[in-house]
């Protein structure tokens, strides 16, 4: 609350029962309202959790309306949610996306409906498993148009509120790029 000079930990005492937070998104009109996406960051921990056969999960989406003082889990999802977003064109529309599912909210993240991934087959373009979402972006002018960037999957586009997806990354491998070179004989060629 002082521009980063000091920090307080908000954790289980505040209702945030899972501390692997992959994404935070602040409501555009109300800075005290935030959504937090919780999913395992390490495969070994996730595998151990699955072996416990515990159907109640602290993973999913948490919501606060008082700047993080109190959090409520509004979506429980195994294996978790990796990214959340409130749409700039309609602040009632929010999305949550994970490895297996895509969810949509029409009340700024209070309640959620699964829109893709039903049946445990994952989501993404036909024939492509999405992989782990890195980020999710809602078109600033169209709340039904979404982009998602995914480890092992690529960049995907949905124009129907997350129900169906197409590949928006032809030529993009998803590999980590650490260097770029311009062809000296043909500057239009970049490697």
């Amino acid at each position: 609350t002082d521009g980063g000079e000091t920090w307080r930990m908000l954790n289980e005492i505040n209702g945030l029962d899972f501390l692997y937070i992959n994404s935070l998104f602040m409501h555009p009109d109300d800075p005290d309202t935030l959504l937090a996406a919780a999913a395992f960051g390490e495969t070994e921990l996730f595998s151990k959790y699955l072996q416990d056969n515990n159907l109640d999960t602290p993973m999913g989406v948490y919501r606060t309306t008082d700047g993080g003082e109190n959090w409520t889990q509004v979506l429980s999802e195994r294996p978790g949610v990796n990214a959340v977003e409130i749409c700039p064109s309609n602040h009632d529309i929010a999305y949550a996306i994970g490895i297996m599912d895509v969810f949509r909210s029409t009340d700024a993240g209070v309640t959620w409906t699964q829109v893709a991934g039903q049946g445990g087959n994952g989501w993404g373009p036909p024939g492509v498993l999405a992989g782990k979402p890195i980020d999710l972006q809602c078109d600033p002018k169209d709340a039904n148009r979404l982009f998602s960037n995914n480890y092992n999957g690529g960049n995907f586009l949905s124009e129907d509120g997350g129900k169906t997806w197409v590949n928006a990354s032809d030529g993009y491998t998803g590999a980590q790029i650490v260097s770029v070179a311009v062809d000296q004989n043909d500057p239009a060629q970049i490697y």
Side-chain angles (χ1 to χ4, degrees):
T1 58
D2 57 9
E5 292 289 324
T6 60
W7 293 85
R8 280 189 311 119
M9 184 176 292
L10 303 173
N11 53 23
E12 291 92 348
I13 295 169
N14 305 84
L16 198 56
D17 292 331
F18 197 76
L19 299 180
Y20 282 92
I21 303 299
N22 292 281
S23 174
L24 283 172
F25 200 89
M26 184 180 290
H27 192 286
D29 291 332
D30 180 6
D32 286 333
T33 298
L34 292 97
L35 299 177
F40 271 118
E42 299 180 31
T43 306
E44 296 81 22
L45 289 174
F46 178 60
S47 296
K48 181 184 180 309
Y49 182 82
L50 286 179
Q51 290 171 359
D52 291 343
N53 292 323
N54 184 356
L55 297 179
D56 293 328
T57 176
M59 296 177 285
V61 176
Y62 290 82
R63 187 173 190 266
T64 181
T65 57
D66 57 11
E69 293 298 327
N70 297 285
W71 292 88
T72 302
Q73 188 174 14
V74 291
L75 175 63
S76 176
E77 170 65 7
R78 289 175 70 177
V81 172
N82 298 90
V84 289
E85 172 97 2
I86 297 174
C87 292
S89 64
N90 181 343
H91 301 163
D92 288 330
I93 305 297
Y95 292 94
I97 194 165
I99 292 172
M100 297 302 292
D101 303 297
V102 179
F103 297 90
R104 187 175 197 255
S105 172
T106 58
D107 54 14
V110 176
T111 60
W112 296 87
T113 302
Q114 186 177 11
V115 294
Q118 291 94 340
N121 295 322
W123 63 275
V128 178
L129 285 176
K132 180 180 177 182
I134 301 167
D135 194 17
L136 174 66
Q137 295 292 312
C138 190
D139 185 316
K141 296 182 181 179
D142 183 351
N144 287 312
R145 193 165 190 255
L146 306 168
F147 291 91
S148 179
N149 185 340
N150 311 281
Y151 288 116
N152 298 326
N155 297 299
F156 303 145
L157 166 67
S158 174
E159 296 187 285
D160 59 4
K163 295 175 188 170
T164 61
W165 296 83
V166 296
N167 188 346
S169 57
D170 288 338
Y172 171 72
T173 66
Q176 181 179 12
I177 306 299
V178 295
S179 181
V180 176
V182 176
D183 187 317
Q184 293 180 8
N185 297 321
D186 183 4
Q189 286 283 6
I190 300 173
Y191 300 94

